[in-house]
Amino acid sequence: MKDTTVAVYIDRLFPQFEPALKAILIENALLKDFQGGDMLMQTGQNMRSTVLIVEGMVKLYREGDDGQEFFMYYLQPGNACALSMICATRQETSEVMAKAIEQTKVLMIPIALMDKLMRDYKTWYYFVMETYRMRFEELLFVIDNIAFKAMDERLAFYLKKQSEDLNTKNLQLTHSEIAVDLNTSREVVSRLLKKMEQAGGIVMHRNYIEYRL
Amino acid sequence: MKDTTVAVYIDRLFPQFEPALKAILIENALLKDFQGGDMLMQTGQNMRSTVLIVEGMVKLYREGDDGQEFFMYYLQPGNACALSMICATRQETSEVMAKAIEQTKVLMIPIALMDKLMRDYKTWYYFVMETYRMRFEELLFVIDNIAFKAMDERLAFYLKKQSEDLNTKNLQLTHSEIAVDLNTSREVVSRLLKKMEQAGGIVMHRNYIEYRL
DNA sequence: TGATGTTGGTGACTTTTGTCACACTCGATA
DNA sequence: TATCGAGTGTGACAAAAGTCACCAACATCA
């Protein structure tokens, strides 16, 4: 039954929420399913709900004028989409792309609820503020990287982050995928990866890269 | 007298605030003065107050490892520093540099007040949310520019923004200053400016640039 | 087994950007 | 007036990154 499933997710991922808050969320949240590759948000789309990820993994990226992509960060279970909160509060348009990279479940919380939750529930308020803070800092980090670093450093940072976020040393990434995420070309990635391998930072295999801290 | 000055600023710049909220701000806000060139925040510094700009102009930029600078946006009277709010709520460290570019006055609001204001005053809550939204979008815009655009487009966008933000067609900028803000070199800026002049977008003068929409 | 598609390697080249060196102009001021 | 420094122009070159062309390795599947 839907409601018990939602309750289980909320208990597991948001234990800090007050019982009354949990009850409201259980009452009003809609559990939604996405397959790997599905879009959760698209540039220009209108937001109607705040999104909490409860299972799977969502990739946030910015889209360029000519369809280029630029990876920003992942959202994992327990995370909320900061943009869906911000846009939600004013019914604005979404500015980024959000794609499920695996089977993903999210809770959709009607925007109409946001103001009330913020005012009535301290834990929700802190959760939202913390979400903003984290994403803001993440964006500042992204800016640092593209503004100040050359491609080799950006690549090293990217691999490190992938390894941390996906919690594995074996990165299932093709050179082309990396190139897309960094908005560069496959050849540049191949060449830089080779350098990194010679320096001992990684070992390359077909279809995956072994990351050694 | 200090209190009446603060009251005047608040009335003029935040007319939407409830009287009770204004009263609390007048009671608790500290008016602080900065000269052009003074730093309001520095990387690594701890935040103790939320900052509202009431006079002058503040330049927000990110600092690179080797002391490079990267311009993000200006804060004007009526704006709040989103970072001072976010960091404030958790007494975290500041991540950006904020420099007064002219004689500037700000209201410092003790962080201890934030939670209460957010809960009790709807107009403050909306003001804070709107601040987050605007700065978040501004950062996304910055990312777009450096991730997807070549230097000529970035320069064009930069000049446009300067003209809008500073509300003048005569931009008092040297080539070196522009180069610093865009994290490139003076020569590149000179060459691109010349191209823009030939294309009719600007007219160059000594020590200032005439921007023609 | 052979055909096909995806992935990765590489050389050659172009473009963009950064760097170095130096020259010129203007304004301030000693 | 002479000099000095800040701002700007520019040529030459270097470095980084993007593009193009093509080939090789491997997996899958008919």
Side-chain angles (χ1 to χ4, degrees):
Chain A
M1 206 193 114
K2 177 212 132 185
D3 280 353
T4 60
T5 316
V6 171
V8 169
Y9 279 128
I10 291 179
D11 273 331
R12 186 185 338 136
L13 295 167
F14 310 99
Q16 78 275 24
F17 286 177
E18 298 98 319
L21 170 57
K22 286 182 183 171
I24 292 192
L25 293 179
I26 292 168
E27 187 91 7
N28 293 281
L30 190 68
L31 188 62
K32 210 165 161 187
D33 247 287
F34 294 93
Q35 300 303 312
D38 287 358
M39 301 303 303
L40 281 78
M41 295 199 299
Q42 272 169 302
T43 313
Q45 187 188 321
N46 239 46
M47 300 302 311
R48 282 164 227 88
S49 313
T50 289
V51 174
L52 301 186
I53 284 76
V54 294
E55 215 178 290
M57 181 86 70
V58 175
K59 175 176 176 171
L60 273 276
Y61 58 95
R62 192 87 170 138
E63 199 176 43
D65 295 333
D66 317 331
Q68 312 102 296
E69 298 182 4
F70 183 83
F71 171 71
M72 297 197 299
Y73 48 77
Y74 288 122
L75 294 179
Q76 310 206 6
N79 290 155
C81 175
L83 277 161
S84 74
M85 290 172 155
I86 289 178
C87 300
T89 49
R90 302 190 83 247
Q91 264 136 302
E92 296 268 336
T93 346
S94 155
E95 302 270 336
V96 296
M97 314 283 283
K99 184 195 279 178
I101 60 166
E102 52 185 62
Q103 150 88 350
T104 294
K105 288 180 201 291
V106 306
L107 291 182
M108 315 277 285
I109 303 177
I111 51 167
L113 230 58
M114 273 294 282
D115 287 8
K116 180 178 162 53
L117 294 182
M118 286 291 279
R119 204 147 328 119
D120 295 350
Y121 299 100
K122 204 186 275 254
T123 57
W124 177 260
Y125 167 71
Y126 284 130
F127 173 69
V128 170
M129 296 308 258
E130 179 63 10
T131 297
Y132 287 154
R133 199 187 56 79
M134 278 171 37
R135 296 312 150 198
F136 214 95
E137 277 177 17
E138 201 116 33
L139 286 195
L140 288 178
F141 241 56
V142 167
I143 289 178
D144 271 359
N145 276 307
I146 37 181
F148 298 129
K149 317 274 192 199
M151 199 49 88
D152 55 349
E153 269 191 276
R154 287 178 53 198
L155 177 59
F157 182 79
Y158 173 84
L159 294 177
K160 178 158 174 276
K161 204 153 155 31
Q162 293 286 323
S163 170
E164 287 168 4
D165 288 352
L166 306 179
N167 197 34
T168 171
K169 298 250 172 229
N170 291 340
L171 308 173
Q172 310 286 332
L173 295 163
T174 69
H175 297 191
S176 318
E177 283 168 345
I178 298 175
V180 168
D181 281 354
L182 295 175
N183 195 44
T184 178
S185 72
R186 202 250 323 150
E187 294 90 324
V188 170
V189 171
S190 288
R191 281 194 265 261
L192 291 176
L193 282 176
K194 186 193 276 188
K195 267 193 205 164
M196 280 186 77
E197 183 169 48
Q198 285 162 355
I202 56 170
V203 182
M204 291 169 67
H205 305 269
R206 190 178 180 77
N207 283 322
Y208 76 98
I209 296 168
E210 194 185 328
Y211 185 72
R212 307 152 51 114
L213 205 112
Chain B
M1 205 193 117
K2 180 213 131 186
D3 279 355
T4 60
T5 315
V6 171
V8 169
Y9 279 129
I10 291 178
D11 273 331
R12 188 188 334 139
L13 294 166
F14 309 100
Q16 77 276 24
F17 287 177
E18 298 97 319
L21 170 56
K22 287 182 183 172
I24 292 191
L25 293 179
I26 292 168
E27 187 91 9
N28 293 280
L30 191 68
L31 188 63
K32 210 166 161 186
D33 247 289
F34 294 92
Q35 299 304 310
D38 288 357
M39 302 301 306
L40 281 78
M41 295 198 299
Q42 271 168 307
T43 314
Q45 187 187 323
N46 240 43
M47 299 302 311
R48 283 165 226 87
S49 312
T50 290
V51 173
L52 300 186
I53 284 76
V54 295
E55 215 177 290
M57 180 87 69
V58 175
K59 175 177 176 171
L60 272 278
Y61 58 95
R62 192 88 170 137
E63 200 175 42
D65 295 332
D66 317 331
Q68 313 103 293
E69 297 182 4
F70 184 83
F71 171 70
M72 297 196 299
Y73 48 76
Y74 288 122
L75 294 180
Q76 311 206 6
N79 290 156
C81 174
L83 278 160
S84 75
M85 290 171 155
I86 291 179
C87 300
T89 49
R90 302 189 84 246
Q91 266 136 302
E92 296 267 337
T93 347
S94 154
E95 304 268 338
V96 296
M97 314 283 282
K99 184 195 279 178
I101 60 166
E102 52 186 61
Q103 150 88 348
T104 294
K105 290 180 198 293
V106 306
L107 292 180
M108 314 278 285
I109 303 177
I111 51 167
L113 228 58
M114 273 294 282
D115 286 9
K116 179 177 161 53
L117 294 182
M118 285 291 278
R119 206 150 325 119
D120 294 351
Y121 299 99
K122 203 185 273 252
T123 56
W124 177 261
Y125 166 72
Y126 285 130
F127 173 69
V128 170
M129 296 309 257
E130 180 62 8
T131 297
Y132 286 154
R133 198 187 57 79
M134 277 172 38
R135 295 312 149 198
F136 214 94
E137 276 178 18
E138 202 115 32
L139 286 193
L140 289 178
F141 240 55
V142 168
I143 289 178
D144 271 0
N145 276 308
I146 37 182
F148 298 130
K149 316 276 192 196
M151 199 49 87
D152 55 348
E153 269 191 278
R154 287 178 54 199
L155 177 60
F157 182 80
Y158 172 84
L159 295 177
K160 180 158 173 275
K161 205 153 152 33
Q162 293 286 323
S163 170
E164 287 169 4
D165 289 352
L166 305 180
N167 196 33
T168 171
K169 298 251 169 227
N170 290 341
L171 308 173
Q172 310 286 331
L173 294 163
T174 69
H175 298 189
S176 319
E177 283 168 345
I178 299 175
V180 168
D181 281 353
L182 295 175
N183 194 45
T184 178
S185 72
R186 202 253 322 151
E187 294 90 326
V188 171
V189 171
S190 288
R191 282 194 265 262
L192 292 176
L193 282 176
K194 186 193 276 187
K195 266 193 207 165
M196 278 185 77
E197 183 169 46
Q198 285 162 355
I202 55 171
V203 181
M204 291 170 67
H205 305 269
R206 191 179 179 79
N207 283 322
Y208 78 97
I209 297 167
E210 194 185 328
Y211 185 73
R212 308 153 48 114
L213 205 111

